[in-house]
Amino acid sequence: LTAELRDYQRRGVDWLHLMREANLGALLADDMGLGKTLQAICALEGPALVVAPTSVLRNWQAELARFRPSLKVNVYHGPRRRLDDADVTLTTYALLRIDGEALAARRWRVAVLDEAQQIKNPDSQVSRAAYRLDAEWRVALTGTPVQNRLEDLWSQLHFLDRGLLGGLDAFRERYALPIEAGNAAAAAELARRTKPFILRREKQEVAKELPERSEIVVRCELGDAERAVYT
């Protein structure tokens, strides 16, 4: 690894390794900007599959080349895409949905979902494709483990540790509906049950470990058409 980890990142990597050795799915839910990608990269073992939004696919490729250059990376994307014997295969949610059968036919040591809120709807095609992946160990990365509904959390944990929260209907009856009705005991039980599988650090918790904020001012001249928009 060609990186110096901050203390909280090292703790995150230790936790990921612990979960990997125990074959327990892990939801890394640190705030944006705290280095979830780097922590996940530290815990990768090949063959690994990483599914990410198209917008960050090249960022994953660059981070892998920078921090673990010994790993062979295959970007499974574009019209000429093909699976090979790479240590890490990078692909997108769109291709997970389209090529779900081919990706599920492979046996992966690790499967990572970046921006895992993409599978928040358990009935969507992409969520079902994610559930079908054949992986020894699963990781989900998201800064928003619950966006709007508790079913978002159920879907991510169903991918990670199937059976942990039961079926969706049972989860709704046992947790979602009571919590929405203000049942504090149900909320506490859900938090207790899911706590071992989720690691979340907010920026204020680790602020002393973060570098000083840097500002870059970029000045540009507007053209006549652009300037007209502002006048």
Side-chain angles (χ1 to χ4, degrees):
L1 178 72
T2 59
E4 288 292 330
L5 300 178
R6 301 183 183 114
D7 288 344
Y8 75 87
Q9 292 174 328
R10 185 173 294 278
R11 293 192 296 272
V13 172
D14 288 344
W15 179 75
L16 287 171
H17 279 114
L18 173 66
M19 300 297 278
R20 187 186 68 195
E21 293 306 311
N23 279 326
L24 296 173
L27 177 57
L28 183 58
D30 287 346
D31 268 352
M32 183 185 300
L34 296 187
K36 292 189 291 294
T37 301
L38 175 57
Q39 293 174 73
I41 285 174
C42 291
L44 289 181
E45 284 186 347
L49 175 69
V50 176
V51 184
T54 306
S55 59
V56 299
L57 195 65
R58 298 300 172 181
N59 179 68
W60 268 92
Q61 185 181 18
E63 297 277 273
L64 282 161
R66 177 183 178 188
F67 296 123
R68 292 192 66 182
S70 63
L71 295 179
K72 179 183 177 184
V73 177
N74 173 30
V75 179
Y76 184 75
H77 192 254
R80 298 182 181 179
R81 62 187 179 272
R82 64 181 181 86
L83 294 172
D84 58 21
D85 60 351
D87 298 307
V88 182
T89 298
L90 303 176
T91 194
T92 66
Y93 284 97
L95 288 175
L96 174 61
R97 174 176 53 83
I98 295 169
D99 292 354
E101 290 188 11
L103 295 170
R106 286 287 182 105
R107 176 67 169 168
W108 306 99
R109 174 67 182 99
V110 183
V112 179
L113 298 188
D114 189 17
E115 300 291 345
Q117 66 271 14
Q118 299 276 347
I119 65 164
K120 64 182 181 179
N121 179 1
D123 294 323
S124 69
Q125 291 182 345
V126 70
S127 296
R128 292 175 180 176
Y131 302 152
R132 289 196 301 268
L133 290 174
D134 184 6
E136 296 178 38
W137 183 52
R138 298 167 180 239
V139 182
L141 309 177
T142 176
T144 54
V146 180
Q147 285 188 303
N148 300 309
R149 307 173 306 153
L150 284 171
E151 283 84 348
D152 300 0
L153 180 64
W154 179 90
S155 183
Q156 293 174 46
L157 288 174
H158 185 67
F159 165 76
L160 294 170
D161 297 287
R162 189 161 303 180
L164 175 67
L165 298 177
L168 183 55
D169 290 339
F171 173 80
R172 286 170 174 157
E173 182 177 346
R174 184 174 183 178
Y175 294 113
L177 293 177
I179 291 172
E180 289 170 3
N183 188 322
E189 181 184 348
L190 178 61
R192 179 188 59 79
R193 182 176 288 271
T194 59
K195 184 177 180 180
F197 307 92
I198 302 174
L199 180 61
R200 175 167 174 77
R201 278 80 60 86
E202 297 180 345
K203 285 184 178 176
Q204 57 264 33
E205 295 178 52
V206 298
K208 63 181 182 181
E209 300 184 45
L210 300 178
E212 293 295 324
R213 184 179 68 182
S214 60
E215 295 184 1
I216 300 175
V217 178
V218 179
R219 305 184 186 278
C220 64
E221 287 291 330
L222 299 180
D224 292 341
E226 294 167 324
R227 188 176 297 278
V229 174
Y230 295 94
T231 59

